[in-house]
Amino acid sequence: VFRPWVYMANGVPTIITGVPPVAAEIEKAEAGVVIDYEREQLANAILSLLTDDQLHHRCRENGLVLVRRRTTGPVLRELLVKLGIPADS
């Protein structure tokens, strides 16, 4: 599932079903709205993001942070630390 990452990288709050594994990560980071595959929940999520400025801003900012943490640099640094290799900043 690649699209949610593209959306978040561009500052677009994500609405996603709970099916793909990435949904749990998005929900935990408060980077989007996780819904069941139901029309009413989709409509409510869209309305919430359009009318609740704080929710929209929080999802936008948290999505950008989540994407930055998943880029090559941070991922490699974390791997090096786990391997006991000093990771230069």
Side-chain angles (χ1 to χ4, degrees):
V1 179
F2 186 70
R3 284 188 208 163
W5 296 105
V6 173
Y7 301 150
M8 289 185 292
N10 286 284
V12 177
T14 302
I15 299 172
I16 190 168
T17 66
V19 174
V22 70
E25 192 171 357
I26 290 170
E27 186 171 44
K28 182 178 177 184
E30 296 184 5
V33 180
V34 178
I35 62 170
D36 292 327
Y37 192 70
E38 294 180 15
R39 191 176 297 174
E40 186 174 326
Q41 285 190 19
L42 176 59
N44 288 337
I46 292 169
L47 285 173
S48 293
L49 286 168
L50 290 174
T51 59
D52 186 337
D53 290 339
Q54 290 179 343
L55 174 64
H56 185 275
H57 180 76
R58 184 173 61 248
C59 289
R60 172 183 161 77
E61 294 303 314
N62 291 343
L64 291 168
V65 169
L66 186 58
V67 168
R68 281 188 215 113
R69 285 197 326 236
R70 293 279 302 248
T71 59
T72 306
V75 170
L76 288 177
R77 261 192 290 313
E78 183 179 333
L79 178 61
L80 290 172
V81 168
K82 285 181 180 180
L83 294 173
I85 301 169
D88 296 327
S89 297

